């Protein structure tokens, strides 16, 4: 497979995780990187490619999530 980027921005979940941890709620995060973002790819951003990457990863992500949930106490 391709190398994973060294830095990934996921600001969507930050506030929710901070609030949950403040309340003592355990959290876990999972991300699917679907594009290299503006300026990092040789080609223009394309929503169809993002959708295709998400669809291609969906089976692996589903298996990961099921395995994670099965291992919870």
């Amino acid at each position: 497979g391709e190398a994973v980027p060294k830095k990934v921005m996921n600001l969507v979940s930050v506030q929710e995780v901070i609030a949950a941890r403040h309340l003592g709620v355990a959290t876990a995060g999972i991300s699917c990187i679907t594009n290299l973002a503006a300026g990092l790819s040789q080609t223009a951003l394309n929503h169809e490619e993002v959708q295709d990457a998400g669809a291609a990863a969906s089976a692996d992500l589903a298996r990961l999530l099921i395995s994670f949930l099965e291992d919870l106490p």
Side-chain angles (χ1 to χ4, degrees), residues 15-28:
Q15 296 300 320
E16 291 88 345
V17 171
I18 291 170
R21 293 303 300 146
H22 179 72
L23 296 172
V25 177
T27 62

Side-chain angles (χ1 to χ4, degrees), residues 9-52:
M9 295 300 292
N10 183 4
L11 298 178
V12 175
S13 312
V14 172
Q15 296 300 320
E16 291 88 345
V17 171
I18 291 170
R21 293 303 300 146
H22 179 72
L23 296 172
V25 177
T27 62
I30 185 169
S31 295
C32 176
I33 301 168
T34 57
N35 68 36
L36 293 176
L40 298 179
S41 175
Q42 297 299 323
T43 59
L45 296 179
N46 177 318
H47 187 63
E48 185 175 338
E49 291 175 358
V50 171
Q51 291 176 308
D52 290 345

